[in-house]
Amino acid sequence: RSESAPETLTDGFHLLIDALKLNGVETIYNVPGIPITDLGRYAQAQGLRVLSFRHEQHAGYAAAAAGFLTKKPGICMTVSAPGFLNGLTALAHATTNCWPMILISGSSEREIVDLQRGDYEEMDQLAIARPHAKAAYRILHAEDIGLGVARAIRAALTGRPGGVYLDVPGALLGQVMDAAEGQKSLIEVVDPNPKSVPAPEAIDRAVDVLKSAKKPLIIIGKGAAYAQCDDTVKELVETLGFPYLPMSMAKGLLPDTHPQCASAARSLVLAESDCVFLIGARLNWLLQHGQGKSWGEKGTKKFVQIDIEPTEMDSNQKIAAPLIGDIESCSKALLKAMGSDWKKPDESWTGKVREKVEGNVAKMAPRLKNNNSPMDYQGSLGVLKDLIAENPDVVLVNEGANALDQARSIIDIFKPRKRLDVGTWGIMGIGMGSAVAAAVETGNQVLAVEGDSAFGFCGMEIETICRYDLPVCIVIMNNNGIYRGDGTNWSGGEDPATTVFVKGSRYDKMMEAFGGVGVHVDNPDALREAVKAAFASRKPTLINAVIAEDAGRESGNIGNLNPSSVVAQA
Ligand code: ADP
Ligand code: MG
């Protein structure tokens, strides 16, 4: 506030910050620049936590992850045009994952943009954002800031959560209005996460279907983790007594070591079950759309599904009993309708699943104990599995191809929302942004298990991690390349199209350059000691973990999604 400005005036900067604060926003994931540089400064001056990143995409991924972790919209703030486009990737990612996020972007002056007169960073951002977001709004007048923020918050949270774009032209921020009028124009959104209660007949229908199942299965998705009704979901799963599969970010909602967890018998339960109950999980590509070889004989399954989004039903398979509502309301109503004498499925089914789980876990166990150097995925991840079991509050961030697929199946998670990964798109580059958000939002230690290629999409943010001195330990599974480090150039040259990186790259030295701890390890024992030290010190740490060049598979577990050339193979 300048000396000469009368106390009776406010402006766009302050109204926007007041509106966010009134609605419980505490943190902004930001990259400063024209026209939002001062907005970040004022926000900090008004008590918000403003974290500035090196690139908007990672500020955006942090906001998206914050939305998932907190059930409140994560806020990302970017500059116009290029900064906006960089942030938009993350906004689309949040929308795709059904996470609440608001991308606030500065933009250029409407009068110039709309006549395409060529402004500094000219772009019609609102039009571009709209198809990538759940909703998109622009605020033109200071007196509408309260309305704009309220609409953004409600759109991000209510129903199926998603990403919202809020366009803030530079001129808006400087607009002045009467301070008392300004305060009156702000809106505190009432009940932005309203209950959505299922119809009683829908509950009865679902109970009938679940009751008639002989070989039932539950699939728990990240919608259930997001819903933050952990005890209710646990009670429902345990009362039903069905085997369950957690999707990757639902791991830990019940501990992966739970006797009903069927992760290690995935093929068996998908193929043989006769009834599948989806709780906050979509039958998308991650579940092969509920069809094909892995799902057993066609037409042998009945589906029951809880989802807050009505149009999710029948999007891939016929849903015999749709439960449209929020997971907590649906689960409570089901429990009530099931009564106190619910009959659990026959031991012939649950026992068979359990036996398969125990057999597969026992088969894997010795491989996780190998001390090979250079390391393979089993030996290295076996170490991390032990350390997470000893430190179940650590938030695991995970991306890569093999580094992702192997870590997801090897590392057990014990508590809800302790795993953040590539999500519905299976994208690379979420690692460092997610790690920052996990550390900031939970205060817990973070362990980021990164493929060396995945790390390349976000690596510069280790400076951000060091600057804010966050308790993040990054383990780079370094096999010298995208997928593997032993690719060849099919024309015989030196430079394979599937990139082989500089051999023996020392990512640990990058960390040292920013004042963090860098460690270079090539065997599981050394990896264990390095991660233990990182957890004990809570210092920003990067461990360059040398993995054999030929470890891993092209595209990890999803190599089947690569089209193959008929001509070349003929
Ligand atoms: P996963 O990838 O783990 O299977 P998805 O992202 O595919 O999970 O599915 C999550 C689903 O959860 C989405 O269809 C979303 O609409 C739904 N969802 C999110 N929050 C809630 C909630 N509070 N209650 C009910 N459904 C929810
Ligand atoms: Mg690699």
Side-chain angles (χ1 to χ4, degrees), residues 432-509:
M432 297 303 103
S434 304
V436 171
V440 166
E441 301 292 342
T442 70
N444 293 6
Q445 173 70 43
V446 177
L447 175 66
V449 177
E450 299 270 315
D452 53 340
S453 156
F455 178 71
F457 290 83
C458 56
M460 192 64 198
E461 300 299 341
I462 60 175
E463 189 277 328
T464 309
I465 289 168
C466 290
R467 180 160 28 100
Y468 292 110
D469 195 24
L470 298 173
V472 174
C473 172
I474 302 149
V475 175
I476 300 196
M477 311 290 279
N478 188 357
N479 66 350
N480 286 347
I482 297 183
Y483 300 133
R484 292 168 41 133
D486 59 356
T488 53
N489 178 332
W490 290 357
S491 77
E494 294 283 294
D495 52 344
T498 57
T499 312
V500 171
F501 299 142
V502 170
K503 304 257 181 197
S505 290
R506 291 290 300 272
Y507 296 104
D508 50 311
K509 298 209 184 263

Side-chain angles (χ1 to χ4, degrees), residues 33 98 106 119 131 152 173 187 231 235 250 282 296 302 309 334 340 403 410 438 456 484 494 502 526 530:
C98 314
D119 206 353
L173 296 171
I187 296 173
D231 294 341
E235 188 186 343
R282 287 173 286 182
K302 283 195 168 160
E309 173 58 51
L334 273 178
S340 54
I410 291 172
R484 292 168 41 133
E494 294 283 294
V502 170

Side-chain angles (χ1 to χ4, degrees), residues 119-387:
D119 206 353
Y120 166 71
E121 296 187 344
E122 177 180 297
M123 178 174 278
D124 188 0
Q125 295 170 198
L126 183 68
I128 291 166
R130 187 152 276 142
H132 303 288
K134 187 179 168 191
Y137 306 109
R138 173 184 292 136
I139 308 173
L140 286 175
H141 303 292
E143 60 266 34
D144 293 333
I145 285 176
L147 206 60
V149 169
R151 284 183 68 61
I153 289 190
R154 195 173 285 284
L157 284 173
T158 301
R160 170 181 277 176
V164 178
Y165 176 62
L166 195 58
D167 193 271
V168 175
L172 173 76
L173 296 171
Q175 283 179 25
V176 173
M177 72 181 284
D178 178 77
E181 286 302 313
Q183 279 311 307
K184 271 191 260 168
S185 72
L186 301 183
I187 296 173
E188 184 178 359
V189 178
V190 177
D191 197 12
N193 278 312
K195 271 192 193 164
S196 170
V197 181
E201 55 272 25
I203 289 292
D204 293 343
R205 189 188 299 121
V207 170
D208 285 345
V209 176
L210 296 170
K211 216 180 248 173
S212 67
K214 298 267 176 295
K215 297 189 278 182
L217 170 69
I218 295 169
I219 299 181
I220 310 175
K222 62 179 171 304
Y226 168 80
Q228 291 196 21
C229 50
D230 309 332
D231 294 341
T232 308
V233 170
K234 184 162 185 278
E235 188 186 343
L236 179 63
V237 172
E238 291 183 339
T239 308
L240 282 167
F242 301 176
Y244 73 89
L245 287 178
M247 298 299 288
S248 68
M249 273 187 266
K251 277 164 68 79
L253 199 45
L254 288 84
D256 282 336
T257 49
H258 192 282
Q260 285 166 255
C261 182
S263 291
R266 186 184 173 88
S267 311
L268 172 89
V269 291
L270 283 185
E272 293 192 15
S273 55
D274 65 354
C275 174
V276 178
F277 179 17
L278 299 152
I279 307 179
R282 287 173 286 182
L283 277 177
N284 56 17
W285 72 280
L286 287 156
L287 287 167
Q288 295 81 42
H289 311 284
Q291 65 197 30
K293 224 173 74 195
S294 54
W295 282 82
E297 210 175 315
K298 214 176 163 185
T300 54
K301 288 186 197 353
K302 283 195 168 160
F303 289 94
V304 177
Q305 182 164 24
I306 300 182
D307 207 292
I308 200 144
E309 173 58 51
T311 60
E312 187 56 37
M313 303 300 161
D314 311 312
S315 56
N316 282 284
Q317 298 294 326
K318 172 181 171 176
I319 302 301
L323 287 169
I324 293 154
D326 70 275
I327 289 165
E328 181 162 29
S329 300
C330 291
S331 303
K332 284 191 167 153
L334 273 178
L335 278 163
K336 197 159 168 226
M338 284 158 57
S340 54
D341 56 348
W342 179 262
K343 199 169 160 294
K344 291 187 179 171
D346 200 80
E347 170 65 25
S348 62
W349 169 241
T350 51
K352 184 178 178 182
V353 175
R354 196 66 220 146
E355 198 177 309
K356 186 80 187 168
V357 167
E358 281 165 8
N360 282 346
V361 168
K363 224 186 295 170
M364 191 64 169
R367 286 199 256 158
L368 301 178
K369 300 278 175 224
N370 84 63
N371 204 33
N372 295 344
S373 176
M375 296 183 275
D376 53 30
Y377 286 99
Q378 288 78 23
S380 52
L381 294 171
V383 163
L384 302 182
K385 172 193 168 90
D386 292 346
L387 292 169

